[in-house]
Amino acid sequence: MSFTPLIDPEIQARYPDFHLISIVVRNAEIDVPDAQALNDTIAAAEQAALRDDAQRDAHLAAWAVAYEAFGTKANRTPCSAAALLKRVRKDGSLPRISPLVDAAYNAVSVLYGVPIGGEDLDLYQGSRDF
């Protein structure tokens, strides 16, 4: 099973090092055998969000520049990682959605400044081999 996302040719021309990675998961059962470990992971991400981190901040700054180049206002419409970081700093916690989203998406996003998200495959555009 493979899936290759399409990148707008204009974006690819402007940012030749830009890459998208897609992972397809179907019918996954989320089992959390150690809820405390999950909660500890999320709490660690929340605490890290409150500290300055040069590498994470550099990633977020690069995303802000890219968003501006796409014609958006990064302050008004930030990437998901920047929006989550701002939310944690304001509310003190990450939103809780599901174990997969909480740990694999949101915690990683605020730790490393990388936008991560899920998509509906029926609406996603790209070449499919599955």
Side-chain angles (χ1 to χ4, degrees):
M1 174 189 312
S2 67
F3 185 84
T4 305
L6 294 175
I7 301 172
D8 183 284
E10 184 178 330
I11 292 172
Q12 192 66 64
R14 274 188 153 166
Y15 303 96
D17 293 333
F18 176 71
H19 298 283
L20 289 173
I21 299 171
S22 293
I23 300 169
V24 176
V25 178
R26 294 188 182 271
N27 303 319
E29 290 186 31
I30 307 300
D31 183 23
V32 182
D34 188 349
Q36 187 59 49
L38 176 65
N39 289 334
D40 290 347
T41 298
I42 295 166
E46 291 166 343
Q47 290 300 310
L50 301 176
R51 295 188 297 268
D52 288 334
D53 181 312
Q55 186 173 3
R56 178 194 60 217
D57 295 345
H59 279 128
L60 293 174
W63 277 104
V65 168
Y67 270 47
E68 298 247 343
F70 299 154
T72 65
K73 303 272 186 223
N75 288 337
R76 186 176 297 156
T77 310
C79 72
S80 61
L84 276 171
L85 189 63
K86 181 178 179 180
R87 184 171 179 175
V88 172
R89 288 178 172 168
K90 179 183 176 209
D91 299 340
S93 63
L94 284 165
R96 299 296 174 103
I97 299 168
S98 74
L100 178 63
V101 172
D102 299 346
Y105 293 7
N106 293 346
V108 172
S109 287
V110 298
L111 280 169
Y112 300 104
V114 178
I116 300 172
E119 303 293 338
D120 181 341
L121 274 181
D122 293 332
L123 301 175
Y124 207 60
Q125 296 181 11
S127 62
R128 300 170 189 228
D129 180 22
F130 53 90

